[in-house]
Amino acid sequence: SWVARLLWFVRPVNPFVLRAVLFPGPPGSPWPILFEQNWPDGWSATDAVPRDPTRSLEYHRKLLAAEPPSPAYLDRFLDRIGSWSEKGIRIVGARIPSDRMMLEMEDRAGGINWPELIEKFQRKGGVWIGDPSRAAQHTYDGSHLSTRSAIRYSHELARAMVRVLESPPGPRSR
């Protein structure tokens, strides 16, 4: 309700948060202040001050190096898409937006050939809806969308999914 949003906006402010907002540290500073707002539907909106799109880049690079995507897992995933599609279940796919540097690092370190994966996904009966307004999204750490961008992207994604689900099924769907 509007009262809850107003009360959240005028809640008492931690002096450390106020300092971080008014005098943010340099990019990569070790003490970002994370803001989190939990919504009744289970979504947690997050943002950070200062924003630094390179903050989680190294973490994710190390994670991909330690646990690269498994070709066998991707094959099982695609088989599942085919199985669901044969049962008449419509599957919609998209690559969630992230910072440009994060996407480039994932492309290099992850070893996934995205055009090939999308083509296989579609051959199995999935509908790839692309990447709505990828360039217009903002992250606070390179990976997680800011609250405003997450809301905007969720609306764009929902509209794209509705267009797919309201269209006639493809040849592999019943």
Side-chain angles (χ1 to χ4, degrees), residues 18-136:
L18 186 59
R19 180 191 144 299
V21 170
L22 295 175
F23 309 104
S29 67
W31 301 107
I33 305 295
L34 185 66
F35 299 93
E36 183 174 22
Q37 181 182 10
N38 296 307
W39 293 70
D41 64 2
W43 179 55
S44 293
T46 56
D47 214 331
V49 174
R51 286 184 178 171
D52 178 4
T54 65
R55 181 172 289 123
S56 63
L57 193 60
E58 184 62 17
Y59 168 79
H60 283 91
R61 189 192 63 70
K62 287 179 182 177
L63 185 65
L64 278 172
E67 298 180 41
S70 161
Y73 175 84
L74 290 174
D75 288 343
R76 286 193 308 272
F77 165 74
L78 291 167
D79 287 344
R80 179 64 53 99
I81 298 301
S83 172
W84 286 339
S85 183
E86 288 171 2
K87 293 176 181 175
I89 299 170
R90 308 277 306 268
I91 300 97
V92 178
R95 187 173 181 187
I96 303 300
S98 212
D99 184 76
R100 178 188 52 79
M101 290 185 291
M102 182 68 74
L103 293 170
E104 290 171 359
M105 182 279 300
E106 288 176 353
D107 288 345
R108 280 190 316 273
I112 293 176
N113 179 332
W114 281 93
E116 181 182 313
L117 178 64
I118 293 167
E119 191 269 327
K120 287 178 178 179
F121 180 86
Q122 291 171 325
R123 252 189 303 154
K124 291 289 188 172
V127 179
W128 193 264
I129 59 174
D131 307 305
S133 299
R134 177 180 299 275

